């Protein structure tokens, strides 16, 4: 994460003051993954909404990928992204519905060291204000894997825009700062 001031350093990393110092001008690297068997990157409106939200806020796009659904496929790509030094946060779109093929949440759940249940609650509340009871068929999830926050969103442009602009991007720098723990500083590539 790039900051305007040098890190004061020292301490044990658990200092609450350091967590409170995370600011909105810290740049984070985002990986965006669309899970779809019918879309291409050229017609991926949900993925476009996520990318735009991060870039409009001054963050960097580390990578953008489109993959077909499938438990092993989703788990493999997310694991690879978490291991990349330039990825501070992973956002997936798609594969979160209720059909038998929708396995994104099931594939990513075992990878999480910590869950962020308030994300789903907040997203549902905001979604209800936008679409009413249609939010019932929407499944979302968030958590942290090896110091990298992961957010799983539905494949709907309005939903992804709502989640990224209202929740993920505003809280991203602080969340990444808290989650990073002993990993290299966010945005820095480990050598």
């Amino acid at each position: 994460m790039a900051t305007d001031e040098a890190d004061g350093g020292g301490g044990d990393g658990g200092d609450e003051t350091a967590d409170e110092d995370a600011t909105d001008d810290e740049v984070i690297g985002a990986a965006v993954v669309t899970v779809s068997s019918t879309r291409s990157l050229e017609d991926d409106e949900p993925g476009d909404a996520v990318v735009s939200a991060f870039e409009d806020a001054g963050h960097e796009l580390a990578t953008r990928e489109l993959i077909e659904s499938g438990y092993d496929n989703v788990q493999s790509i997310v694991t690879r992204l978490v291991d990349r030094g330039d990825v501070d946060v992973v956002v997936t779109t798609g594969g979160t519905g209720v059909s038998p093929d929708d396995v994104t949440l099931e594939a990513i759940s075992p990878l999480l060291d910590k869950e962020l249940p308030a994300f789903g609650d907040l997203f549902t509340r905001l979604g209800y204000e936008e679409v009413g009871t249609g939010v019932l068929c929407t499944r979302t999830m968030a958590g942290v894997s090896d110091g990298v926050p992961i957010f799983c969103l539905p494949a709907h442009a309005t939903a992804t825009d709502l989640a990224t602009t209202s929740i993920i991007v505003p809280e991203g720098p602080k969340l990444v700062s808290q989650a990073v723990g002993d990993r290299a500083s966010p945005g820095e590539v480990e050598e």
Side-chain angles (χ1 to χ4, degrees):
M1 220 184 306
T3 59
D4 291 337
E5 297 179 19
D7 184 348
D12 62 3
D15 186 334
E16 291 296 322
T17 307
D19 293 339
E20 293 170 6
D21 289 341
T23 63
D24 290 337
D25 19 325
E26 294 174 337
V27 177
I28 56 178
V32 178
V33 179
T34 298
V35 180
S36 176
S37 300
T38 60
R39 289 194 172 109
S40 68
L41 286 178
E42 290 75 33
D43 67 352
D44 178 23
E45 291 181 27
D48 291 342
V50 175
V51 170
S52 292
F54 276 100
E55 289 180 340
D56 290 351
H59 299 296
E60 297 175 356
L61 179 64
T63 189
R64 181 173 181 184
E65 304 196 25
L66 187 135
I67 62 170
E68 289 199 27
S69 186
Y71 186 95
D72 292 338
N73 202 26
V74 171
Q75 198 171 71
S76 174
I77 190 76
V78 171
T79 298
R80 185 174 55 81
L81 293 172
V82 165
D83 289 341
R84 283 180 52 159
D86 62 339
V87 172
D88 299 315
V89 62
V90 175
V91 179
T92 70
T93 70
T96 63
V98 295
S99 79
D101 294 339
D102 292 327
V103 297
T104 299
L105 303 186
E106 290 76 14
I108 294 176
S109 182
L111 303 176
L112 300 179
D113 304 317
K114 297 181 186 227
E115 294 181 20
L116 301 171
F119 171 75
D121 296 341
L122 183 55
F123 178 80
T124 300
R125 182 175 152 246
L126 295 173
Y128 179 75
E129 292 172 6
E130 288 285 319
V131 299
T133 57
V135 76
L136 179 66
C137 294
T138 302
R139 298 187 313 145
T140 59
M141 181 176 68
V144 178
S145 177
D146 196 23
V148 177
I150 301 172
F151 296 90
C152 303
L153 306 176
H156 189 278
T158 302
T160 56
D161 182 58
L162 177 68
T164 52
T165 59
S166 299
I167 306 169
I168 300 170
V169 170
E171 293 299 319
K174 182 178 178 182
L175 181 59
V176 168
S177 178
Q178 290 178 359
V180 75
D182 293 331
R183 283 183 72 220
S185 296
E188 294 180 11
V189 177
E190 292 179 357
E191 295 183 27

